[in-house]
Amino acid sequence: MYSAGCTSDKFMTSENGWNIMQQISVNVCISVGMTLVILTKGIDLSVGSILAFSGAVAAGLLKNGIEIPGLDLYIGFTVFGAILMGIIIGGSLGFFNGWMITKFKVAPFVVTLAMLTMARGATMLWTGGFPITGLGDHFAFIGTGWFLGIPMPVWISAIAVILAIILLTKTKFGRYIYAVGGNESAARLSGLNINKIKIWVYALSGILAAVGGIILTSRLDSAQPNAGLSYELDSIAAVVIGGTSLSGGRGSIIGTVQGALIIGVLNSGLVLLNVSPFWQQIIKGLVILIAVILDRVNHDNKD
Amino acid sequence: MDLIKMEKIIKYIIITTIIGLIGYNAIYFQSLKERKNTVISVFDPNVLAKDFIQNKIIELPSMKAGEFLMSLKKDSLKFITENGKKLGISTDYYFIVESNAVIQAIQEENILITLDDKSAVEMLIATDFIFGNTVREASGIANIGDFQNTMDFNNISIALNDKIRSEIIPPFVEKAEKGNKIYFKGAIKVDTKKLGTTPFRIVPLILTFL
C-alpha cells in the first residue's frame, strides 16, 4: 500500500478511495454472511453462484416479468418487487443449504459445492446464457448512485455490517453462533437447537449473497450469467485475513471488513502499479498465507 | 374472547397488512395481449437498418458540427450531458452532427476534412472501422429496454455497420479527392473521460459532393 501510494499519483486520491469502497462492497456483503457461517465451523462455497442467480432473477423479473398465457396475465415487478424476489431466492437457497447440512448430516463443503453448481446452472437456464441488460435508471441507482456524498453500495454494505455486528454482539442468536462454532457438543448439551441456528446462518449467508448480487447487477446495469465466479474465494480470504478462525467460534465482523479492505486496497494498488495479473494472484495468495500463519502463531502463544 | 386470542388476531391483521402493502408495491398486473402491443416483438435487424438508412437519416435531428465543437469548448460536461444520448450507465455520449467540409487527405482508415466555416477545424470521417453502436446510440433507433436480450440489440449495430460499409462509404471513397467540397452527416462518440481528444471521428450516414 505504501509502495502504491509513493509510486502512483492516483492511488492516494479520494476518487480511488471511493472506487475501492464501491468495489469491495459486494465482497463485504458476502463476506459478512461467510463470517457467520465460518463462525459455526461451516463453509459456504455457493455464495458466488447464489449471487449470480439472485441478481439474474431480480433483473429478469424487472425486465420481463412473468407471463401466464393461459390466464392472459402478465405479472410485472417494480424495482422494489424485483429486489425483494432476488433476496427471497438467495435466502431460500441458503436455507436449503442449511437444511441439507443439518437434516442429512452432510459436510457443508459438499452441500454448498453442489449448490455452487446447481445455482450456476439455474442462472444459465434463467438467462439463456445471455446477459440481461437495460434495467433502468432506478435500478442502476442502487449500484451507481450517491446519497449524502457516499456511494449507495457503500451505504448498503455498511448497513449489512452494522446489522451483523448487532446480531453477533447484542443478541442471543449471535452468542449461540459463537457457541455452536466453539464447541458444538457442549452447545447441544446446553439445550441449543443447533440445526435451527445453522439453517438460519446459511439462510442469512444466502440473503447477503443476494444483496451482493443485486449491487453487482445494478453496478453493471446487467445480469451476467457468469457473474460472481470465484467470489467465494475472495470472501473466504477476507474472512481469514480478518482473523476469523476456520475452526469456528472465534472471529468478528469488523475483522472481516478489514480483510475485505486489505484485499480491495491490494487489488487496486497492484493494478495501479501495473503489476502483472499473474503476479497479483501470487501476491494475494501469499498475503492470505501470511495472515493465517500470523493468526495461528498469535493464538498458539495465547493458548 | 380472552386477551391472548385478541393479541393473536391483531398480530395476524398487522402481518397481513404489511404483506399486502409489500405486495402492492412489488408487483402489478396487466393483460398479456395489452402488454404485447406495447413491446417490440420479433424483429429483423436488417429490415430496421434498411428502413433507417433509406428513410430516416435525412430527417434525423442533428447539430452543426461547428456549433457542436464550440459548445464543447465552453462547458463541455454540461453540454454533453444535456444534449448527448447515452446507453445505460456508460460515460460515453453520442451526437449526430452535419456540416459542409473540405477534404484534406485520404488516409488508410479515414478521410481527413476541415469544416467549411470560420473555425476550419479538422475532423475525421471513418471509412474502414465503422462502429454501428455509435450510430445506434446517437440516432436513438432502438431502446435497449425494449429487447429481451443483448444479442438482438447488438444485431442492430451489426446491420447498421454492414449497410454503412457497403452502401454509404464505397461510392464516396471511390470519387473522393483532396480539395473536394462535401456535405456530411454522421454520428460521433464523446468519451467524457477523454475530453479534449481530437480530432473527432465521424461515422458517416450521408456523404455527398457539393
Side-chain angles (χ1 to χ4, degrees), chain B residues 1 11 14 32 42 58 64 69 72 80 82 89-90 98 103 106 118 136 138 171 187 193 198 204:
Chain B
M1 201 183 292
K11 201 167 84 178
I14 291 171
L32 200 55
V42 181
I58 293 172
K64 291 285 177 193
L69 293 167
L72 212 55
I80 291 167
E82 283 179 3
I89 57 172
S90 166
E98 62 173 339
I103 294 179
I106 313 289
K118 284 178 191 171
R136 186 190 63 194
K193 289 189 173 169
T198 50

mmCIF file with all atom_site columns, all heavy atoms in Angstrom, chain B residues 1 11 14 32 42 58 64 69 72 80 82 89-90 98 103 106 118 136 138 171 187 193 198 204:
data_model
loop_
_atom_site.group_PDB
_atom_site.id
_atom_site.type_symbol
_atom_site.label_atom_id
_atom_site.label_alt_id
_atom_site.label_comp_id
_atom_site.label_asym_id
_atom_site.label_entity_id
_atom_site.label_seq_id
_atom_site.pdbx_PDB_ins_code
_atom_site.Cartn_x
_atom_site.Cartn_y
_atom_site.Cartn_z
_atom_site.occupancy
_atom_site.B_iso_or_equiv
_atom_site.pdbx_formal_charge
_atom_site.auth_seq_id
_atom_site.auth_comp_id
_atom_site.auth_asym_id
_atom_site.auth_atom_id
_atom_site.pdbx_PDB_model_num
ATOM 1   N N   . MET B 1 1   ? -64.048 -13.543 24.392  1.00 0.00 ? 1   MET B N   1
ATOM 2   C CA  . MET B 1 1   ? -62.747 -13.791 23.793  1.00 0.00 ? 1   MET B CA  1
ATOM 3   C C   . MET B 1 1   ? -61.636 -13.318 24.760  1.00 0.00 ? 1   MET B C   1
ATOM 4   O O   . MET B 1 1   ? -61.704 -12.180 25.245  1.00 0.00 ? 1   MET B O   1
ATOM 5   C CB  . MET B 1 1   ? -62.667 -13.024 22.482  1.00 0.00 ? 1   MET B CB  1
ATOM 6   C CG  . MET B 1 1   ? -61.607 -13.588 21.560  1.00 0.00 ? 1   MET B CG  1
ATOM 7   S SD  . MET B 1 1   ? -61.462 -12.615 20.059  1.00 0.00 ? 1   MET B SD  1
ATOM 8   C CE  . MET B 1 1   ? -63.020 -12.940 19.256  1.00 0.00 ? 1   MET B CE  1
ATOM 9   N N   . LYS B 1 11  ? -52.140 -9.429  15.784  1.00 0.00 ? 11  LYS B N   1
ATOM 10  C CA  . LYS B 1 11  ? -50.848 -9.750  15.178  1.00 0.00 ? 11  LYS B CA  1
ATOM 11  C C   . LYS B 1 11  ? -51.029 -10.191 13.720  1.00 0.00 ? 11  LYS B C   1
ATOM 12  O O   . LYS B 1 11  ? -50.335 -9.720  12.818  1.00 0.00 ? 11  LYS B O   1
ATOM 13  C CB  . LYS B 1 11  ? -50.167 -10.870 15.982  1.00 0.00 ? 11  LYS B CB  1
ATOM 14  C CG  . LYS B 1 11  ? -48.658 -10.927 15.759  1.00 0.00 ? 11  LYS B CG  1
ATOM 15  C CD  . LYS B 1 11  ? -47.971 -11.793 16.777  1.00 0.00 ? 11  LYS B CD  1
ATOM 16  C CE  . LYS B 1 11  ? -48.002 -13.249 16.402  1.00 0.00 ? 11  LYS B CE  1
ATOM 17  N NZ  . LYS B 1 11  ? -47.299 -14.121 17.356  1.00 0.00 ? 11  LYS B NZ  1
ATOM 18  N N   . ILE B 1 14  ? -51.954 -7.288  11.456  1.00 0.00 ? 14  ILE B N   1
ATOM 19  C CA  . ILE B 1 14  ? -50.791 -6.435  11.154  1.00 0.00 ? 14  ILE B CA  1
ATOM 20  C C   . ILE B 1 14  ? -49.898 -7.105  10.113  1.00 0.00 ? 14  ILE B C   1
ATOM 21  O O   . ILE B 1 14  ? -49.498 -6.472  9.121   1.00 0.00 ? 14  ILE B O   1
ATOM 22  C CB  . ILE B 1 14  ? -49.981 -6.121  12.438  1.00 0.00 ? 14  ILE B CB  1
ATOM 23  C CG1 . ILE B 1 14  ? -50.798 -5.195  13.338  1.00 0.00 ? 14  ILE B CG1 1
ATOM 24  C CG2 . ILE B 1 14  ? -48.647 -5.461  12.110  1.00 0.00 ? 14  ILE B CG2 1
ATOM 25  C CD1 . ILE B 1 14  ? -50.219 -4.982  14.720  1.00 0.00 ? 14  ILE B CD1 1
ATOM 26  N N   . LEU B 1 32  ? -51.996 -9.781  -20.891 1.00 0.00 ? 32  LEU B N   1
ATOM 27  C CA  . LEU B 1 32  ? -50.843 -10.188 -21.698 1.00 0.00 ? 32  LEU B CA  1
ATOM 28  C C   . LEU B 1 32  ? -50.920 -9.596  -23.118 1.00 0.00 ? 32  LEU B C   1
ATOM 29  O O   . LEU B 1 32  ? -49.924 -9.139  -23.664 1.00 0.00 ? 32  LEU B O   1
ATOM 30  C CB  . LEU B 1 32  ? -50.788 -11.716 -21.754 1.00 0.00 ? 32  LEU B CB  1
ATOM 31  C CG  . LEU B 1 32  ? -49.448 -12.329 -22.118 1.00 0.00 ? 32  LEU B CG  1
ATOM 32  C CD1 . LEU B 1 32  ? -48.346 -11.848 -21.215 1.00 0.00 ? 32  LEU B CD1 1
ATOM 33  C CD2 . LEU B 1 32  ? -49.546 -13.859 -22.040 1.00 0.00 ? 32  LEU B CD2 1
ATOM 34  N N   . VAL B 1 42  ? -40.950 -9.974  -32.300 1.00 0.00 ? 42  VAL B N   1
ATOM 35  C CA  . VAL B 1 42  ? -39.858 -10.471 -33.147 1.00 0.00 ? 42  VAL B CA  1
ATOM 36  C C   . VAL B 1 42  ? -39.523 -9.420  -34.205 1.00 0.00 ? 42  VAL B C   1
ATOM 37  O O   . VAL B 1 42  ? -40.409 -8.838  -34.824 1.00 0.00 ? 42  VAL B O   1
ATOM 38  C CB  . VAL B 1 42  ? -40.289 -11.774 -33.844 1.00 0.00 ? 42  VAL B CB  1
ATOM 39  C CG1 . VAL B 1 42  ? -39.150 -12.314 -34.693 1.00 0.00 ? 42  VAL B CG1 1
ATOM 40  C CG2 . VAL B 1 42  ? -40.731 -12.784 -32.818 1.00 0.00 ? 42  VAL B CG2 1
ATOM 41  N N   . ILE B 1 58  ? -32.208 11.387  -43.337 1.00 0.00 ? 58  ILE B N   1
ATOM 42  C CA  . ILE B 1 58  ? -32.295 12.781  -43.808 1.00 0.00 ? 58  ILE B CA  1
ATOM 43  C C   . ILE B 1 58  ? -32.970 13.659  -42.758 1.00 0.00 ? 58  ILE B C   1
ATOM 44  O O   . ILE B 1 58  ? -32.549 14.772  -42.483 1.00 0.00 ? 58  ILE B O   1
ATOM 45  C CB  . ILE B 1 58  ? -33.049 12.847  -45.159 1.00 0.00 ? 58  ILE B CB  1
ATOM 46  C CG1 . ILE B 1 58  ? -32.194 12.152  -46.230 1.00 0.00 ? 58  ILE B CG1 1
ATOM 47  C CG2 . ILE B 1 58  ? -33.340 14.297  -45.562 1.00 0.00 ? 58  ILE B CG2 1
ATOM 48  C CD1 . ILE B 1 58  ? -32.873 11.969  -47.551 1.00 0.00 ? 58  ILE B CD1 1
ATOM 49  N N   . LYS B 1 64  ? -25.071 21.434  -36.124 1.00 0.00 ? 64  LYS B N   1
ATOM 50  C CA  . LYS B 1 64  ? -23.951 21.797  -36.985 1.00 0.00 ? 64  LYS B CA  1
ATOM 51  C C   . LYS B 1 64  ? -22.651 21.412  -36.286 1.00 0.00 ? 64  LYS B C   1
ATOM 52  O O   . LYS B 1 64  ? -22.480 21.671  -35.087 1.00 0.00 ? 64  LYS B O   1
ATOM 53  C CB  . LYS B 1 64  ? -23.959 23.300  -37.267 1.00 0.00 ? 64  LYS B CB  1
ATOM 54  C CG  . LYS B 1 64  ? -25.120 23.746  -38.139 1.00 0.00 ? 64  LYS B CG  1
ATOM 55  C CD  . LYS B 1 64  ? -24.882 23.348  -39.590 1.00 0.00 ? 64  LYS B CD  1
ATOM 56  C CE  . LYS B 1 64  ? -26.081 23.734  -40.458 1.00 0.00 ? 64  LYS B CE  1
ATOM 57  N NZ  . LYS B 1 64  ? -25.992 23.085  -41.773 1.00 0.00 ? 64  LYS B NZ  1
ATOM 58  N N   . LEU B 1 69  ? -18.706 21.705  -31.797 1.00 0.00 ? 69  LEU B N   1
ATOM 59  C CA  . LEU B 1 69  ? -17.336 21.842  -31.287 1.00 0.00 ? 69  LEU B CA  1
ATOM 60  C C   . LEU B 1 69  ? -17.177 23.086  -30.416 1.00 0.00 ? 69  LEU B C   1
ATOM 61  O O   . LEU B 1 69  ? -16.486 23.066  -29.401 1.00 0.00 ? 69  LEU B O   1
ATOM 62  C CB  . LEU B 1 69  ? -16.347 21.888  -32.459 1.00 0.00 ? 69  LEU B CB  1
ATOM 63  C CG  . LEU B 1 69  ? -16.258 20.573  -33.253 1.00 0.00 ? 69  LEU B CG  1
ATOM 64  C CD1 . LEU B 1 69  ? -15.508 20.792  -34.562 1.00 0.00 ? 69  LEU B CD1 1
ATOM 65  C CD2 . LEU B 1 69  ? -15.577 19.493  -32.434 1.00 0.00 ? 69  LEU B CD2 1
ATOM 66  N N   . LEU B 1 72  ? -18.744 22.469  -27.076 1.00 0.00 ? 72  LEU B N   1
ATOM 67  C CA  . LEU B 1 72  ? -17.909 21.522  -26.337 1.00 0.00 ? 72  LEU B CA  1
ATOM 68  C C   . LEU B 1 72  ? -16.762 22.246  -25.624 1.00 0.00 ? 72  LEU B C   1
ATOM 69  O O   . LEU B 1 72  ? -16.328 21.854  -24.540 1.00 0.00 ? 72  LEU B O   1
ATOM 70  C CB  . LEU B 1 72  ? -17.343 20.496  -27.326 1.00 0.00 ? 72  LEU B CB  1
ATOM 71  C CG  . LEU B 1 72  ? -17.111 19.081  -26.823 1.00 0.00 ? 72  LEU B CG  1
ATOM 72  C CD1 . LEU B 1 72  ? -18.366 18.510  -26.236 1.00 0.00 ? 72  LEU B CD1 1
ATOM 73  C CD2 . LEU B 1 72  ? -16.642 18.200  -27.969 1.00 0.00 ? 72  LEU B CD2 1
ATOM 74  N N   . ILE B 1 80  ? -22.479 18.182  -22.897 1.00 0.00 ? 80  ILE B N   1
ATOM 75  C CA  . ILE B 1 80  ? -22.564 16.769  -23.293 1.00 0.00 ? 80  ILE B CA  1
ATOM 76  C C   . ILE B 1 80  ? -23.727 16.067  -22.602 1.00 0.00 ? 80  ILE B C   1
ATOM 77  O O   . ILE B 1 80  ? -24.533 15.389  -23.232 1.00 0.00 ? 80  ILE B O   1
ATOM 78  C CB  . ILE B 1 80  ? -21.238 16.040  -22.956 1.00 0.00 ? 80  ILE B CB  1
ATOM 79  C CG1 . ILE B 1 80  ? -20.132 16.532  -23.862 1.00 0.00 ? 80  ILE B CG1 1
ATOM 80  C CG2 . ILE B 1 80  ? -21.384 14.531  -23.096 1.00 0.00 ? 80  ILE B CG2 1
ATOM 81  C CD1 . ILE B 1 80  ? -18.743 16.110  -23.409 1.00 0.00 ? 80  ILE B CD1 1
ATOM 82  N N   . GLU B 1 82  ? -26.358 17.305  -21.243 1.00 0.00 ? 82  GLU B N   1
ATOM 83  C CA  . GLU B 1 82  ? -27.693 17.856  -21.548 1.00 0.00 ? 82  GLU B CA  1
ATOM 84  C C   . GLU B 1 82  ? -28.136 17.551  -22.974 1.00 0.00 ? 82  GLU B C   1
ATOM 85  O O   . GLU B 1 82  ? -29.323 17.465  -23.244 1.00 0.00 ? 82  GLU B O   1
ATOM 86  C CB  . GLU B 1 82  ? -27.710 19.369  -21.319 1.00 0.00 ? 82  GLU B CB  1
ATOM 87  C CG  . GLU B 1 82  ? -27.796 19.711  -19.830 1.00 0.00 ? 82  GLU B CG  1
ATOM 88  C CD  . GLU B 1 82  ? -27.784 21.211  -19.571 1.00 0.00 ? 82  GLU B CD  1
ATOM 89  O OE1 . GLU B 1 82  ? -27.770 21.988  -20.551 1.00 0.00 ? 82  GLU B OE1 1
ATOM 90  O OE2 . GLU B 1 82  ? -27.769 21.578  -18.380 1.00 0.00 ? 82  GLU B OE2 1
ATOM 91  N N   . ILE B 1 89  ? -25.366 2.947   -18.032 1.00 0.00 ? 89  ILE B N   1
ATOM 92  C CA  . ILE B 1 89  ? -24.514 3.664   -17.090 1.00 0.00 ? 89  ILE B CA  1
ATOM 93  C C   . ILE B 1 89  ? -23.204 4.106   -17.735 1.00 0.00 ? 89  ILE B C   1
ATOM 94  O O   . ILE B 1 89  ? -22.293 4.541   -17.059 1.00 0.00 ? 89  ILE B O   1
ATOM 95  C CB  . ILE B 1 89  ? -24.215 2.786   -15.860 1.00 0.00 ? 89  ILE B CB  1
ATOM 96  C CG1 . ILE B 1 89  ? -23.563 1.474   -16.293 1.00 0.00 ? 89  ILE B CG1 1
ATOM 97  C CG2 . ILE B 1 89  ? -25.460 2.535   -15.053 1.00 0.00 ? 89  ILE B CG2 1
ATOM 98  C CD1 . ILE B 1 89  ? -23.068 0.636   -15.134 1.00 0.00 ? 89  ILE B CD1 1
ATOM 99  N N   . SER B 1 90  ? -23.118 3.968   -19.058 1.00 0.00 ? 90  SER B N   1
ATOM 100 C CA  . SER B 1 90  ? -21.882 4.334   -19.756 1.00 0.00 ? 90  SER B CA  1
ATOM 101 C C   . SER B 1 90  ? -21.558 5.815   -19.571 1.00 0.00 ? 90  SER B C   1
ATOM 102 O O   . SER B 1 90  ? -22.453 6.633   -19.345 1.00 0.00 ? 90  SER B O   1
ATOM 103 C CB  . SER B 1 90  ? -22.055 4.028   -21.245 1.00 0.00 ? 90  SER B CB  1
ATOM 104 O OG  . SER B 1 90  ? -21.045 4.652   -21.981 1.00 0.00 ? 90  SER B OG  1
ATOM 105 N N   . GLU B 1 98  ? -23.700 17.518  -38.560 1.00 0.00 ? 98  GLU B N   1
ATOM 106 C CA  . GLU B 1 98  ? -23.655 17.676  -40.025 1.00 0.00 ? 98  GLU B CA  1
ATOM 107 C C   . GLU B 1 98  ? -22.900 18.959  -40.344 1.00 0.00 ? 98  GLU B C   1
ATOM 108 O O   . GLU B 1 98  ? -22.818 19.857  -39.502 1.00 0.00 ? 98  GLU B O   1
ATOM 109 C CB  . GLU B 1 98  ? -25.070 17.728  -40.607 1.00 0.00 ? 98  GLU B CB  1
ATOM 110 C CG  . GLU B 1 98  ? -25.857 18.914  -40.097 1.00 0.00 ? 98  GLU B CG  1
ATOM 111 C CD  . GLU B 1 98  ? -27.207 19.066  -40.793 1.00 0.00 ? 98  GLU B CD  1
ATOM 112 O OE1 . GLU B 1 98  ? -27.372 18.526  -41.900 1.00 0.00 ? 98  GLU B OE1 1
ATOM 113 O OE2 . GLU B 1 98  ? -28.057 19.746  -40.229 1.00 0.00 ? 98  GLU B OE2 1
ATOM 114 N N   . ILE B 1 103 ? -12.182 18.187  -48.125 1.00 0.00 ? 103 ILE B N   1
ATOM 115 C CA  . ILE B 1 103 ? -11.294 17.032  -47.911 1.00 0.00 ? 103 ILE B CA  1
ATOM 116 C C   . ILE B 1 103 ? -9.836  17.496  -47.924 1.00 0.00 ? 103 ILE B C   1
ATOM 117 O O   . ILE B 1 103 ? -9.395  18.187  -48.840 1.00 0.00 ? 103 ILE B O   1
ATOM 118 C CB  . ILE B 1 103 ? -11.512 15.969  -49.011 1.00 0.00 ? 103 ILE B CB  1
ATOM 119 C CG1 . ILE B 1 103 ? -12.932 15.379  -48.893 1.00 0.00 ? 103 ILE B CG1 1
ATOM 120 C CG2 . ILE B 1 103 ? -10.467 14.845  -48.891 1.00 0.00 ? 103 ILE B CG2 1
ATOM 121 C CD1 . ILE B 1 103 ? -13.266 14.341  -49.951 1.00 0.00 ? 103 ILE B CD1 1
ATOM 122 N N   . ILE B 1 106 ? -6.766  11.772  -47.934 1.00 0.00 ? 106 ILE B N   1
ATOM 123 C CA  . ILE B 1 106 ? -7.401  10.446  -47.936 1.00 0.00 ? 106 ILE B CA  1
ATOM 124 C C   . ILE B 1 106 ? -6.444  9.521   -47.183 1.00 0.00 ? 106 ILE B C   1
ATOM 125 O O   . ILE B 1 106 ? -5.338  9.260   -47.669 1.00 0.00 ? 106 ILE B O   1
ATOM 126 C CB  . ILE B 1 106 ? -7.623  9.907   -49.372 1.00 0.00 ? 106 ILE B CB  1
ATOM 127 C CG1 . ILE B 1 106 ? -8.239  10.979  -50.289 1.00 0.00 ? 106 ILE B CG1 1
ATOM 128 C CG2 . ILE B 1 106 ? -8.427  8.618   -49.364 1.00 0.00 ? 106 ILE B CG2 1
ATOM 129 C CD1 . ILE B 1 106 ? -9.665  11.344  -50.036 1.00 0.00 ? 106 ILE B CD1 1
ATOM 130 N N   . LYS B 1 118 ? -15.718 29.286  -40.468 1.00 0.00 ? 118 LYS B N   1
ATOM 131 C CA  . LYS B 1 118 ? -14.613 30.109  -39.956 1.00 0.00 ? 118 LYS B CA  1
ATOM 132 C C   . LYS B 1 118 ? -13.617 29.283  -39.139 1.00 0.00 ? 118 LYS B C   1
ATOM 133 O O   . LYS B 1 118 ? -12.421 29.523  -39.146 1.00 0.00 ? 118 LYS B O   1
ATOM 134 C CB  . LYS B 1 118 ? -15.171 31.223  -39.067 1.00 0.00 ? 118 LYS B CB  1
ATOM 135 C CG  . LYS B 1 118 ? -15.807 32.356  -39.830 1.00 0.00 ? 118 LYS B CG  1
ATOM 136 C CD  . LYS B 1 118 ? -16.370 33.373  -38.848 1.00 0.00 ? 118 LYS B CD  1
ATOM 137 C CE  . LYS B 1 118 ? -17.242 34.378  -39.586 1.00 0.00 ? 118 LYS B CE  1
ATOM 138 N NZ  . LYS B 1 118 ? -17.980 35.239  -38.641 1.00 0.00 ? 118 LYS B NZ  1
ATOM 139 N N   . ARG B 1 136 ? -26.233 3.627   -33.700 1.00 0.00 ? 136 ARG B N   1
ATOM 140 C CA  . ARG B 1 136 ? -27.417 3.149   -32.971 1.00 0.00 ? 136 ARG B CA  1
ATOM 141 C C   . ARG B 1 136 ? -27.722 4.063   -31.780 1.00 0.00 ? 136 ARG B C   1
ATOM 142 O O   . ARG B 1 136 ? -28.856 4.484   -31.583 1.00 0.00 ? 136 ARG B O   1
ATOM 143 C CB  . ARG B 1 136 ? -27.159 1.711   -32.485 1.00 0.00 ? 136 ARG B CB  1
ATOM 144 C CG  . ARG B 1 136 ? -28.346 1.035   -31.835 1.00 0.00 ? 136 ARG B CG  1
ATOM 145 C CD  . ARG B 1 136 ? -27.922 -0.264  -31.191 1.00 0.00 ? 136 ARG B CD  1
ATOM 146 N NE  . ARG B 1 136 ? -26.957 -0.034  -30.112 1.00 0.00 ? 136 ARG B NE  1
ATOM 147 C CZ  . ARG B 1 136 ? -26.217 -0.985  -29.549 1.00 0.00 ? 136 ARG B CZ  1
ATOM 148 N NH1 . ARG B 1 136 ? -26.316 -2.210  -29.966 1.00 0.00 ? 136 ARG B NH1 1
ATOM 149 N NH2 . ARG B 1 136 ? -25.386 -0.697  -28.571 1.00 0.00 ? 136 ARG B NH2 1
ATOM 150 N N   . ALA B 1 138 ? -26.472 7.199   -31.116 1.00 0.00 ? 138 ALA B N   1
ATOM 151 C CA  . ALA B 1 138 ? -26.653 8.618   -31.447 1.00 0.00 ? 138 ALA B CA  1
ATOM 152 C C   . ALA B 1 138 ? -28.023 8.883   -32.063 1.00 0.00 ? 138 ALA B C   1
ATOM 153 O O   . ALA B 1 138 ? -28.633 9.908   -31.813 1.00 0.00 ? 138 ALA B O   1
ATOM 154 C CB  . ALA B 1 138 ? -25.556 9.061   -32.407 1.00 0.00 ? 138 ALA B CB  1
ATOM 155 N N   . PRO B 1 171 ? -19.180 4.218   -52.592 1.00 0.00 ? 171 PRO B N   1
ATOM 156 C CA  . PRO B 1 171 ? -19.356 5.162   -53.711 1.00 0.00 ? 171 PRO B CA  1
ATOM 157 C C   . PRO B 1 171 ? -18.712 6.518   -53.456 1.00 0.00 ? 171 PRO B C   1
ATOM 158 O O   . PRO B 1 171 ? -18.307 7.203   -54.393 1.00 0.00 ? 171 PRO B O   1
ATOM 159 C CB  . PRO B 1 171 ? -20.884 5.305   -53.827 1.00 0.00 ? 171 PRO B CB  1
ATOM 160 C CG  . PRO B 1 171 ? -21.464 4.710   -52.607 1.00 0.00 ? 171 PRO B CG  1
ATOM 161 C CD  . PRO B 1 171 ? -20.450 3.801   -52.019 1.00 0.00 ? 171 PRO B CD  1
ATOM 162 N N   . ALA B 1 187 ? -22.503 10.253  -37.062 1.00 0.00 ? 187 ALA B N   1
ATOM 163 C CA  . ALA B 1 187 ? -22.596 10.079  -35.603 1.00 0.00 ? 187 ALA B CA  1
ATOM 164 C C   . ALA B 1 187 ? -21.210 10.209  -34.978 1.00 0.00 ? 187 ALA B C   1
ATOM 165 O O   . ALA B 1 187 ? -20.216 9.795   -35.565 1.00 0.00 ? 187 ALA B O   1
ATOM 166 C CB  . ALA B 1 187 ? -23.177 8.706   -35.298 1.00 0.00 ? 187 ALA B CB  1
ATOM 167 N N   . LYS B 1 193 ? -14.474 10.731  -20.264 1.00 0.00 ? 193 LYS B N   1
ATOM 168 C CA  . LYS B 1 193 ? -13.219 10.544  -19.519 1.00 0.00 ? 193 LYS B CA  1
ATOM 169 C C   . LYS B 1 193 ? -12.000 10.937  -20.356 1.00 0.00 ? 193 LYS B C   1
ATOM 170 O O   . LYS B 1 193 ? -10.887 10.967  -19.855 1.00 0.00 ? 193 LYS B O   1
ATOM 171 C CB  . LYS B 1 193 ? -13.096 9.099   -19.051 1.00 0.00 ? 193 LYS B CB  1
ATOM 172 C CG  . LYS B 1 193 ? -14.094 8.790   -17.939 1.00 0.00 ? 193 LYS B CG  1
ATOM 173 C CD  . LYS B 1 193 ? -13.843 7.458   -17.321 1.00 0.00 ? 193 LYS B CD  1
ATOM 174 C CE  . LYS B 1 193 ? -14.738 7.268   -16.104 1.00 0.00 ? 193 LYS B CE  1
ATOM 175 N NZ  . LYS B 1 193 ? -14.720 5.904   -15.614 1.00 0.00 ? 193 LYS B NZ  1
ATOM 176 N N   . THR B 1 198 ? -8.703  15.023  -29.819 1.00 0.00 ? 198 THR B N   1
ATOM 177 C CA  . THR B 1 198 ? -9.144  15.435  -31.145 1.00 0.00 ? 198 THR B CA  1
ATOM 178 C C   . THR B 1 198 ? -8.229  14.805  -32.198 1.00 0.00 ? 198 THR B C   1
ATOM 179 O O   . THR B 1 198 ? -7.154  14.339  -31.857 1.00 0.00 ? 198 THR B O   1
ATOM 180 C CB  . THR B 1 198 ? -9.080  16.974  -31.292 1.00 0.00 ? 198 THR B CB  1
ATOM 181 O OG1 . THR B 1 198 ? -7.797  17.398  -30.873 1.00 0.00 ? 198 THR B OG1 1
ATOM 182 C CG2 . THR B 1 198 ? -10.164 17.644  -30.491 1.00 0.00 ? 198 THR B CG2 1
ATOM 183 N N   . PRO B 1 204 ? -20.035 8.012   -40.806 1.00 0.00 ? 204 PRO B N   1
ATOM 184 C CA  . PRO B 1 204 ? -20.896 8.722   -41.765 1.00 0.00 ? 204 PRO B CA  1
ATOM 185 C C   . PRO B 1 204 ? -22.249 8.056   -42.007 1.00 0.00 ? 204 PRO B C   1
ATOM 186 O O   . PRO B 1 204 ? -22.355 6.835   -42.044 1.00 0.00 ? 204 PRO B O   1
ATOM 187 C CB  . PRO B 1 204 ? -20.054 8.692   -43.045 1.00 0.00 ? 204 PRO B CB  1
ATOM 188 C CG  . PRO B 1 204 ? -19.220 7.478   -42.915 1.00 0.00 ? 204 PRO B CG  1
ATOM 189 C CD  . PRO B 1 204 ? -18.946 7.293   -41.461 1.00 0.00 ? 204 PRO B CD  1
#
